[in-house]
Amino acid sequence: MNTAYHNVPEIGELIYEKEVVVETNVKDNSFYSYADYHVSTDEKKVRMVGGNGNDDVLAVYEKLNSFFKQIGHEADFDRLYEESKRLVDVVKKCCGR
């Protein structure tokens, strides 16, 4: 009986597979919406915006403003500034700074 197995490599044969990307790049904010941001935990919000422990309120403000523009959400200065201060406090509490 002659049985043929498909997709079975011969000994010594190299197999090349396509890599499949399953994680989204956080820097590419097009995967997010304001609804995603709104329901996220504070820690995830910091990651979505790209904040880190070295950022002051103005740096987070710039990142948050840019993030909101990329996802198509408009917010006024006061709201962005308050959210920026809050995110900086989240990082300070989290990291003990």
Side-chain angles (χ1 to χ4, degrees), residues 6-22:
H6 297 286
N7 299 325
V8 177
E10 297 293 325
I11 296 175
E13 183 180 357
L14 295 176
I15 301 172
Y16 296 97
E17 295 182 17
K18 265 188 161 177
E19 266 189 50
V20 178
V21 178
V22 292

Side-chain angles (χ1 to χ4, degrees), residues 52-90:
N52 63 57
N54 296 324
D55 291 340
D56 62 5
V57 175
L58 291 178
V60 173
Y61 174 88
E62 290 297 325
K63 290 178 180 182
L64 185 62
N65 188 32
S66 176
F67 173 75
F68 279 176
K69 284 181 182 177
Q70 288 177 358
I71 64 173
H73 180 72
E74 292 185 30
D76 65 6
F77 173 84
D78 292 332
R79 184 159 178 272
L80 282 171
Y81 190 75
E82 289 302 316
E83 180 69 359
S84 299
K85 288 193 315 188
R86 199 179 68 71
L87 292 178
V88 168
D89 288 341
V90 166

Side-chain angles (χ1 to χ4, degrees), residues 25-37:
N25 185 351
V26 174
K27 291 185 186 286
D28 186 358
N29 298 325
S30 62
F31 290 104
Y32 298 113
S33 68
Y34 181 73
D36 295 330
Y37 179 83

Side-chain angles (χ1 to χ4, degrees), residues 29-46:
N29 298 325
S30 62
F31 290 104
Y32 298 113
S33 68
Y34 181 73
D36 295 330
Y37 179 83
H38 184 70
V39 299
S40 295
T41 64
D42 288 338
E43 291 79 12
K44 184 166 182 184
K45 287 178 181 179
V46 170

